[in-house]
Amino acid sequence: MHDIRAIRDNPEAFDAALARRGEAAMSQAVLSLDAARRAKIAAAETAKAEQNKASKEVGAAKGRGDEAEFERLRALVSDKKAEVAAMNAEAQELDAKLTDMLARIPNNPAEDVPQGDDENDNVEVKSWGDKPAFDFKPVEHYEIKGVKPGMDFETAAKTSGARFVMLKGAVARVHRALAQFMIDTHVDENGLTEYNTPVLVNNAAMYGTDKLPKFGGDSFVAASMASRARLSKMALEDYSKSEPEILDKLSDASLADIVEEAYERADTQEDYWLIPTSEVTLTYSIAGDTLEERSLPMRMTAHTLCFRSEAGSAGRDTAGMLRQHQFEKVEMVSITHPDESDAEQQRMVTCAEGILEKLGVPYRTVILCTGDMGFGARRTYDIEAWVPGQDCYREISSVSTTGDFQARRMNARFKPEGGGKPQFVHTLNGSGLAVGRCLIAVLENGQQADGSVKLPEALAPYLGGKTTLTAEGVLALG
């Protein structure tokens, strides 16, 4: 969320920041709505003052026996009261429109973010590791002989549809080992606090972390039975208007009445969203809080299931488990003092890179250009793992700083130790890492000519000392 005062003070800078993202100027529309809202508030305050003045004069007129003046003033008080109520309602409506407009405008990019249109304009800032040299043509993860028994797309499609996978046996164990290894590293070496969070969240949590209102289509909503009943009732009512004879054929208790009764009796009338990552739960955990400065930075991590609709990805990465509706991720979230957020972002990047280095997976780190950066980010670094089967780098982590963009939406602040007015915190988030994509990188980089896979030594403690996935799909000692 943007600071309206900053837009008032420097609308040109606001529009220039939007232009860097390829967005149209918005300051005039924002300030026009803001001016109308403020004018309506001022008018309501003036009318309220007139109402209060007339209220005082009513008693005086009554006291001196001036019935005509008393009746005039009483009518004036009533009129002003109605006028104030109407103006306050209009001001609230304008405020809601302004808030919604601001909520749909992306964050301003940091000054050092490179200008560009898309991923082709991202800038590499680091590369690590030697790409493996094979004496055979490497294949993609799902084509590796030893992987095939443990990566079942057909059964997953039977139970759930496209973009799901069912892991089993040794492959499932390696996947679990990767997640445990990541969490242990972040907790034991990187100083993060582990959380186990819900995967169902309410609208406020999605809104506070800038996933709503603009990107609801990217996530899955778990509608309650009550909500389904409400939607069904609305549909029936609309249908009955165009096809009234249908309802005439029903019994005395119409379908609309039955559905409405089900809605009223439902256990819950709450809708939930399935989290796209635990960025939502971890970040929103401080919503509405005023933290002590000494508690900063807060460094959190969680391993959760994640869910994304992959809207707009039709036809992309349909083979394998690179792009799934359900996946697992180890997330990192930091809450910091504004002066420390840039340094914290670099620290988080190093934490994510360290996981790949321990696993021996080659990678590169790029800073995203203005045209490729996410809606809420001020700056984003993507870490891309080398995947030999595709002969390219693929994103395995994004580490972003949002500045105070999310904190304003959540009203999350801290009290300066030296006193003074509470300030908004800065929030940062990053993958540490995407577990499924890390599995892909480990399998493809470790594949052998006979269809087996050499696994990283770092995983040995989590695999009973075994570091080989055989061509038959079982774990064995190296």
Side-chain angles (χ1 to χ4, degrees):
M1 184 75 75
H2 290 278
D3 182 359
I4 186 63
R5 291 170 297 182
I7 301 174
R8 291 179 198 142
D9 292 343
N10 198 339
E12 294 81 9
F14 177 71
D15 286 340
L18 288 176
R20 291 194 65 203
R21 280 183 172 267
E23 300 280 344
M26 289 288 295
S27 65
Q28 184 175 351
V30 169
L31 294 178
S32 176
L33 195 53
D34 179 49
R37 178 186 65 91
R38 297 171 78 187
K40 193 62 67 175
I41 292 172
E45 291 172 347
T46 299
K48 182 66 175 177
E50 293 171 352
Q51 176 190 337
N52 292 339
K53 181 175 180 293
S55 295
K56 293 177 182 178
E57 293 174 352
V58 165
K62 184 72 171 176
R64 63 176 180 266
D66 190 342
E67 286 299 321
E69 182 65 4
F70 170 75
E71 292 298 336
R72 186 189 73 81
L73 288 170
R74 190 168 67 168
L76 177 61
V77 169
S78 179
D79 290 344
K80 287 296 179 182
K81 184 177 181 180
E83 185 180 348
V84 169
M87 287 181 173
N88 281 334
E90 291 174 11
Q92 290 174 359
E93 183 179 348
L94 289 168
D95 185 70
K97 288 181 178 179
L98 177 61
T99 299
D100 183 69
M101 180 181 289
L102 290 172
R104 296 172 185 274
I105 300 173
N107 202 353
N108 294 339
E111 292 183 0
D112 61 346
V113 173
Q115 190 68 32
D117 296 327
D118 53 36
E119 61 184 15
N120 296 314
D121 296 319
N122 296 338
V123 177
E124 182 176 313
V125 296
K126 178 182 178 180
S127 63
W128 182 91
D130 296 324
K131 299 173 185 176
F134 299 100
D135 56 6
F136 61 95
K137 180 176 174 55
V139 297
E140 295 196 52
H141 56 286
Y142 58 91
E143 299 173 310
I144 299 172
K145 184 178 180 181
V147 174
K148 288 181 179 181
M151 195 170 284
D152 188 348
F153 296 97
E154 289 185 5
T155 303
K158 180 168 64 175
T159 63
S160 307
R163 294 195 186 278
F164 290 93
V165 65
M166 191 172 287
L167 303 180
K168 57 186 178 182
V171 175
R173 187 173 180 182
V174 175
H175 184 270
R176 173 165 54 88
L178 282 167
Q180 290 179 281
F181 164 70
M182 293 173 194
I183 281 286
D184 287 350
T185 301
H186 290 315
V187 171
D188 297 337
E189 299 181 23
N190 298 333
L192 280 66
T193 299
E194 182 178 1
Y195 286 71
N196 188 318
T197 83
V199 297
L200 290 170
V201 295
N202 56 31
N203 286 344
M206 291 287 282
Y207 178 88
T209 52
D210 65 57
K211 308 301 177 282
L212 292 179
K214 198 168 182 179
F215 299 101
D218 294 340
S219 296
F220 288 106
V221 62
S224 64
M225 289 305 295
S227 295
R228 292 177 184 272
R230 183 170 64 249
L231 293 172
S232 298
K233 177 176 180 288
M234 292 169 60
L236 280 169
E237 289 174 341
D238 288 342
Y239 189 66
S240 67
K241 293 174 184 177
S242 60
E243 303 288 343
E245 68 278 5
I246 296 297
L247 293 184
D248 291 340
K249 297 178 182 179
L250 298 176
S251 62
D252 292 339
S254 71
L255 279 178
D257 290 336
I258 294 171
V259 171
E260 183 173 16
E261 183 179 357
Y263 168 56
E264 295 297 337
R265 291 185 179 184
D267 292 335
T268 175
Q269 296 184 16
E270 181 66 81
D271 289 342
Y272 293 100
W273 294 85
L274 290 163
I275 59 171
T277 78
S278 57
E279 170 204 348
V280 175
T281 42
L282 295 175
T283 305
Y284 198 74
S285 67
I286 63 161
D289 293 348
T290 301
L291 308 170
E292 298 292 337
E293 183 177 347
R294 63 176 176 272
S295 70
L296 303 178
M298 296 174 61
R299 293 169 174 150
M300 301 174 272
T301 187
H303 166 221
T304 65
L305 286 167
C306 305
F307 305 87
R308 287 183 183 165
S309 69
E310 294 295 347
S313 298
R316 294 174 56 194
D317 303 315
T318 54
M321 60 177 292
L322 187 74
R323 196 177 296 275
Q324 301 277 282
H325 288 313
Q326 174 185 309
F327 55 97
E328 294 180 36
K329 183 181 284 191
V330 173
E331 187 75 7
M332 305 180 291
V333 165
S334 289
I335 314 297
T336 74
H337 188 287
D339 295 342
E340 303 298 328
S341 61
D342 285 348
E344 184 68 14
Q345 186 180 23
Q346 296 300 322
R347 181 186 188 278
M348 293 172 71
V349 169
T350 299
C351 290
E353 291 173 340
I355 297 293
L356 290 174
E357 291 175 13
K358 287 176 180 291
L359 294 172
V361 174
Y363 69 86
R364 69 176 183 181
T365 302
V366 300
I367 182 171
L368 300 194
C369 70
T370 53
D372 196 32
M373 199 164 56
F375 175 84
R378 288 190 73 243
R379 182 193 304 107
T380 297
Y381 291 96
D382 270 8
I383 301 169
E384 301 174 346
W386 177 251
V387 284
Q390 293 190 29
D391 194 33
C392 67
Y393 289 98
R394 297 303 297 256
E395 181 229 320
I396 201 167
S397 172
S398 284
V399 181
S400 299
T401 175
T402 74
D404 62 7
F405 190 77
Q406 292 179 331
R408 288 182 180 278
R409 299 167 83 102
M410 300 186 301
N411 192 27
R413 306 169 188 256
F414 72 95
K415 290 191 293 187
E417 286 187 341
K421 185 178 179 181
Q423 301 176 34
F424 288 109
V425 297
H426 278 197
T427 62
L428 304 94
N429 62 83
S431 312
L433 305 162
V435 182
R437 290 194 172 196
C438 195
L439 175 66
I440 291 171
V442 164
L443 295 174
E444 292 195 14
N445 281 279
Q447 62 183 297
Q448 306 296 306
D450 65 352
S452 65
V453 178
K454 182 177 180 181
L455 300 170
E457 289 292 333
L459 296 183
Y462 303 90
L463 299 173
K466 299 172 182 178
T467 56
T468 296
L469 177 65
T470 70
E472 292 70 37
V474 298
L475 290 171
L477 296 175

